[in-house]
Each structure stands twice: as structure tokens, then as C-alpha cells.
Amino acid sequence: MTSTEPSSDEAANASIDAQTSGIQGALDLVGDRWSMLILRASFRGVRRFSAIQTDLGIAKNLLADRLARLVDADILARVPYQDRPVRHEYVLTEKGRDLSAVLIALMHWGDRWCHHGSAPTVLVHDECGEPIEHSVRCPACATDLSPGQIQSRPGRRAGRERTKP
Amino acid sequence: MTSTEPSSDEAANASIDAQTSGIQGALDLVGDRWSMLILRASFRGVRRFSAIQTDLGIAKNLLADRLARLVDADILARVPYQDRPVRHEYVLTEKGRDLSAVLIALMHWGDRWCHHGSAPTVLVHDECGEPIEHSVRCPACATDLSPGQIQSRPGRRAGRERTKP
DNA sequence: GTCAGTAAGTTGCAATTTGAAACCCACTCC
DNA sequence: GGAGTGGGTTTCAAATTGCAACTTACTGAC
């Protein structure tokens, strides 16, 4: 059996809070199943209330609630798509589009580990059709990094803490 | 005002379902706030029931529930860390470790857009201290890709659909 | 003018989940 | 025996989700 000791960096948790607030903030805004699925629909061009509702099979009250939250959070913008009568669709903002990495990572993981017998998807470069590569690199060392080789640090260079994601 | 038409790929949704099942499967397993935060704690070496509970401030019943689910899903494994009495900690499996990309992406996004006045973190290579680069590349073309340049395709090469994440 | 249809919600209520906190069990060690 | 630790389980109120009926604001056809 393995005997491992708990991490002993707990004295330095004051600035780990700075890191935590990033992911906490993200999860506060998008850390629920429906929000993620709505965002995924947006990336796929499904932007109207009825279309999203049909696509996801979500209750209308929940959809209205989530859309309002995502608009409040400036992740989606409510944009008119016609005049008579005026009708709106929900369009990703830049902030919302930046969530693509999260969705891609989720999809990758899901396809690898949750494919339930259906064919996994492959993400490809649209121009050449070859599978894409996801990487995390150190440009200074010109090497790819594994998750264990990443630390995070406050942006102000106030100190160093060793953490994993 | 912009007038955009809904995507017209809806006839091909039969194999978009294959893609959806990946992200649905992922969200079924980890698409809730507490599961994500527990996984984050695991990556940081916080693995014992009490330590996780204290770290996250989560209700014990929810923690027990989530841990059981994550163990059932083979994302965490329950590993003894001592004999007398026998005590267990929750350790990431390979499947669980593969979720690091999701957590890194969430952290990046949160740090960029949700920093609420606290100092954003920078993710760095632990050996040299330089900021890491996250990229999505096409190895065949040797170019970086933006989210709009990615398609997904069923793994069996049954057909092509243009989708975003 | 009336009516049907569409889009985008709102409302009411039951079911489910979350959250707080008390409680419990199984040890170990003094 | 008793205190302390670790890891839960149970109870119950509050919050959220989910279902489905209902509403509002049009437009266009007759």
C-alpha cells in the first residue's frame, strides 16, 4: 500500500486564494451543466430561445434563467436578428468565446473516457482535415509540459508556490 | 443591426449526436461545481476527507456523495494511507488526471475574466519560471489554430460536419 | 376585425438537490 | 474509561430543478 503525506504547503495558502478565486469565479458563472450546454449550443450557432430549448430539451424557465445570467455575466449578448417584430438571439461575446478552450477540453476528455459505445469524435483542422494537437508548452525551454510541471504564481511576482492545476 | 440566419446544418445532426455524447457524458460526471472543486483539491494534493472538507467548506454529506460518485466513475480511487486504523484518501486515477486540461482552461479563463480585483495568477513552467503557452495546433500545417478553425468529425470518418466546440 | 401561428417568455407546483448542523461509529492512545 | 481524531450518516429546511400550463406580443391571412 502507498503511504503518502499530505502536501505541506499549507502555510502559503494566503496567495493560493488568489488562484482559487479564478476557478471559483469561473465556476460561479459557468459551473453548472445547463450553462455549459447552452454555451456549446452557442458555439454551434444555435442562438435563439426556441432553438436552444429544442436542441437541449431544457425547461423554459431554466433556459430563461441561465440566459439572463450569462447575459448579466457578459458571456452572451442579446442581439436583435429581425425587426418586425423585434426578436433577439444570444451571441457569444469575446469573454464567451474565450470559453472555447474549456469546452474543447471537456469534449476531448468526454470523448476519450465517456464514449459509451458511440464513435468518439476527432477534432481536426478544418482546412486540411488532420487531427489537431493540444499542447501546453514552455516557450523558453521549447518543451511540452505535463500537468505536473506547471506551477501557478500570482501575476505580481509576489512569491512562488508549487501547485498543480 | 445584424441579421444572421440559423445554422443550416441541422439535417446532419444524426452524427452531431456522437459529439454531444462526449460532452454530455463529461458533464454528467463532473458538470457540477463541487465535483470540479474537489478535483482541483486533488490536483493540489488535498486528498483526505477532512482536509477536502475544510479546504472547500463543503457540507459533509455533499462531499461524501460527490466522492462516492467520482470513485464510481473511476475518476478518483480510494487508497489506504495508513493501517491503524485503516484510513483512505482519494487519489486521481489516470482518467481523473486527464481532466487537468479542463481545470487549466477554467483557471485561465477565470483568471482572465473573473479576477475581481485580486491579482491574476500566471501559470509557469516549474523548472524555469517562464509563463506557459497553451496552444491548439495543426501538426501537419505547423500552424496554431483559433477556435474557429477547428472542426470535429466522427472518429470513424463516416462524414464531415462543420461545428465549433 | 378575427383567428391562427410563432416566438419568447412567466407562473405554479411537485420533485430533487443543496446546505447546515447534529449525531454516530470506529478506532487509537493516555 | 475518556478524550480525541477521522470519516462519515441522518434530519430537516431552504434552494433549485423540472414539468407543463399559461401569458404576452406580435404578424399575416382571411
Side-chain angles (χ1 to χ4, degrees):
Chain A
M1 74 186 64
T2 346
S3 173
T4 54
E5 297 207 351
S7 163
S8 56
D9 292 352
E10 273 145 336
N13 272 353
S15 59
I16 291 185
D17 288 347
Q19 303 161 30
T20 306
S21 71
I23 202 161
Q24 292 264 26
L27 291 173
D28 285 344
L29 297 184
V30 298
D32 71 282
R33 186 160 168 275
W34 287 123
S35 295
M36 286 290 185
L37 290 171
I38 289 163
L39 291 170
R40 174 175 163 67
S42 299
F43 276 107
R44 289 169 54 223
V46 182
R47 313 181 211 274
R48 301 177 184 189
F49 191 99
S50 294
I52 298 169
Q53 200 261 327
T54 300
D55 191 55
L56 300 184
I58 178 174
K60 291 194 222 178
N61 58 327
L62 292 190
L63 179 56
D65 177 67
R66 290 296 184 286
L67 287 172
R69 289 185 194 196
L70 291 167
V71 169
D72 276 356
D74 205 30
I75 291 168
L76 292 179
R78 202 162 172 267
V79 176
Y81 68 87
Q82 81 180 26
D83 279 355
R84 299 170 35 121
V86 63
R87 290 269 146 85
H88 296 94
E89 61 187 0
Y90 295 86
V91 177
L92 288 158
T93 61
E94 190 191 346
K95 183 175 176 182
R97 287 194 298 277
D98 265 4
L99 279 163
S100 66
V102 177
L103 286 165
I104 289 172
L106 264 176
M107 191 189 297
H108 254 176
W109 186 86
D111 290 341
R112 178 167 179 198
W113 296 104
C114 307
H115 50 249
H116 294 313
S118 57
T121 59
V122 178
L123 299 182
V124 298
H125 180 197
D126 58 6
E127 281 177 23
C128 72
E130 292 303 302
I132 64 170
E133 262 179 18
H134 233 201
S135 69
V136 179
R137 289 181 64 78
C138 176
C141 302
T143 57
D144 287 349
L145 301 177
S146 67
Q149 294 170 287
I150 301 169
Q151 284 187 11
S152 57
R153 197 170 65 193
R156 294 279 172 78
R157 299 181 179 251
R160 281 180 185 258
E161 291 81 27
R162 163 174 284 272
T163 58
K164 309 283 172 67
Chain B
M1 72 186 66
T2 345
S3 171
T4 53
E5 295 206 353
S7 163
S8 57
D9 292 353
E10 271 143 339
N13 272 354
S15 60
I16 291 188
D17 288 346
Q19 302 161 32
T20 306
S21 71
I23 201 161
Q24 291 264 27
L27 291 172
D28 284 344
L29 298 183
V30 298
D32 72 282
R33 187 162 167 273
W34 287 124
S35 295
M36 285 290 186
L37 289 170
I38 289 163
L39 291 170
R40 175 175 163 70
S42 298
F43 277 106
R44 289 170 53 222
V46 183
R47 315 181 211 273
R48 301 178 184 188
F49 192 99
S50 295
I52 299 168
Q53 201 262 324
T54 299
D55 191 56
L56 299 185
I58 178 173
K60 290 195 225 177
N61 59 328
L62 291 190
L63 179 56
D65 177 67
R66 292 294 186 284
L67 287 172
R69 290 186 194 192
L70 291 168
V71 169
D72 275 357
D74 206 30
I75 291 167
L76 291 179
R78 202 163 173 266
V79 177
Y81 68 88
Q82 80 180 24
D83 279 355
R84 296 166 42 116
V86 63
R87 288 271 146 83
H88 296 94
E89 60 187 0
Y90 295 87
V91 176
L92 288 158
T93 60
E94 190 192 347
K95 183 177 178 180
R97 287 195 298 279
D98 265 4
L99 279 162
S100 66
V102 177
L103 286 165
I104 290 171
L106 264 175
M107 190 190 297
H108 255 176
W109 186 86
D111 290 340
R112 176 166 181 199
W113 295 104
C114 305
H115 50 249
H116 294 313
S118 58
T121 60
V122 177
L123 299 182
V124 299
H125 181 196
D126 58 5
E127 282 177 26
C128 70
E130 292 302 304
I132 64 171
E133 262 180 16
H134 215 213
S135 69
V136 179
R137 288 180 65 78
C138 176
C141 303
T143 56
D144 288 347
L145 302 177
S146 66
Q149 294 169 290
I150 301 170
Q151 283 185 10
S152 58
R153 199 168 66 192
R156 294 278 173 76
R157 296 178 181 256
R160 279 181 184 257
E161 293 81 28
R162 163 173 285 273
T163 57
K164 309 287 172 67

